[in-house]
Amino acid sequence: MNLTQALSDLGVTNQTINDDHRRSLDTDGFVVLPNILDDKSLDLVRSRLEKLYQKEGPGAGIEVHQESGARRLSDLVNKGEIFDQVYTNPMVLACINHVIGREFKLSSLNARDALPGHGLQGLHADWGENYDGHFHVCNSIWLLDDFSHENGCTRLVPGSHKKPVPGNALNDPMDKHPNEKYVIAPAGSVAVFNSHTWHGGTENTSTNLTRRAMHCYYTARENRQQLNQREFLRHETFKRISPAARYILDVDIN
């Protein structure tokens, strides 16, 4: 198995995304894909996440990261069959393949819900070094609620994926950037962004709105994963998923 075969088995072709998608990824560093999850899938994912939040309690998200002012979950690959469709989605994989341009794998599949009064993040990139001619990481935000200015949508700076990392380029990454754009889109959409692009969450200024999302994050295959999928892989997960899905997780052990 190699990436070409895995992508083909998962339904990725040269026509899965179009030139407009590629142009947005190349020029802006991100693209928003509408209607990736239908209403039924949205309801199932939301229900499963809420059950996990309740079950895991104060330990929720501990496998990767916990955050004050936000609900977090990690290792979703192993926490329900409903999540199999996320990291194997053909349109998202086609976008990731276009950005990274070489063998890649899932780095992590997590969830984040910025609570009212919280969620503001400084502009950052998910690769800690300046652009070296290659893109090493690419992320996708799966919108489980409508994203709006009020509930803390994601902000991105178009064209910043080839610039130095924000910490080396900005006086204060917490400030509003004059060129920043916002992911304002309905639930079921997916925003795929080159993770070298400057981005961050905005504040959930509402009093009662959720801003639930999943982050399905990929990295070039030579890099370490954010969550070591082999270390955390459950037997029932391995048995359930296809060889192509195992390859994307980098758990296809002979």
Side-chain angles (χ1 to χ4, degrees):
M1 181 71 69
N2 57 30
L3 182 64
T4 300
Q5 183 63 59
L7 293 179
S8 176
D9 288 355
L10 293 170
V12 179
T13 71
N14 291 333
Q15 288 75 48
T16 300
I17 58 173
N18 59 39
D19 288 342
D20 288 340
H21 297 131
R22 297 183 185 95
R23 190 176 302 112
S24 292
L25 289 166
D26 291 342
T27 303
D28 296 330
F30 61 91
V31 66
V32 178
L33 308 173
N35 303 315
I36 298 298
L37 288 177
D38 60 23
D39 290 344
K40 180 179 179 180
S41 294
L42 274 171
D43 287 343
L44 290 171
V45 170
R46 290 166 178 157
S47 175
R48 181 60 182 156
L49 290 180
E50 293 300 333
K51 289 177 181 176
L52 288 170
Y53 283 126
Q54 184 175 14
K55 177 182 178 181
E56 297 186 18
I62 198 168
E63 300 97 331
V64 171
H65 178 63
Q66 294 180 306
E67 175 186 355
S68 176
R71 299 192 300 171
R72 301 288 300 238
L73 288 167
S74 303
D75 189 28
L76 295 181
V77 165
N78 287 301
K79 294 181 180 178
E81 185 175 357
I82 189 64
F83 302 119
D84 294 352
Q85 65 182 313
V86 177
Y87 64 90
T88 61
N89 179 270
M91 284 197 74
V92 172
L93 289 173
C95 290
I96 303 298
N97 189 45
H98 181 76
V99 170
I100 295 180
R102 60 194 188 280
E103 292 273 333
F104 66 84
K105 59 190 174 184
L106 184 80
S107 186
S108 60
L109 177 55
N110 307 318
R112 179 177 185 263
D113 175 19
L115 302 174
H118 300 276
L120 179 62
Q121 297 174 321
L123 288 170
H124 62 281
D126 293 335
W127 187 253
E129 301 175 15
N130 292 338
Y131 177 64
D132 62 4
H134 300 281
F135 296 124
H136 301 273
V137 284
C138 192
N139 210 338
S140 60
I141 304 176
W142 291 65
L143 282 61
L144 304 180
D145 293 306
D146 297 344
F147 269 32
S148 67
H149 284 297
E150 188 178 9
N151 72 352
C153 61
T154 302
R155 59 178 177 149
L156 302 110
V157 179
S160 58
H161 48 299
K162 293 185 179 180
K163 295 183 180 297
V165 295
N168 295 337
L170 300 176
N171 291 328
D172 187 353
M174 297 297 291
D175 287 346
K176 181 177 179 179
H177 192 281
N179 299 329
E180 67 187 31
K181 302 296 183 182
Y182 304 95
V183 179
I184 297 178
S189 306
V190 176
V192 180
F193 63 99
N194 182 327
S195 298
H196 296 245
T197 305
W198 301 356
H199 65 279
T202 62
E203 182 182 352
N204 183 343
T205 60
S206 75
T207 57
N208 61 353
L209 295 178
T210 56
R211 203 236 63 172
R212 293 168 293 185
M214 293 182 293
H215 294 183
C216 190
Y217 178 48
Y218 300 82
T219 186
R221 208 163 179 89
E222 68 268 19
N223 300 327
R224 294 177 60 183
Q225 294 163 312
Q226 186 178 50
L227 184 77
N228 187 321
Q229 301 297 325
R230 295 190 187 191
E231 178 182 343
F232 281 81
L233 185 71
R234 299 178 185 177
H235 178 71
E236 58 266 28
T237 304
F238 184 85
K239 295 292 288 184
R240 182 183 69 241
I241 63 177
S242 69
R246 295 171 189 168
Y247 189 84
I248 296 298
L249 295 178
D250 195 21
V251 297
D252 55 329
I253 305 168
N254 294 325

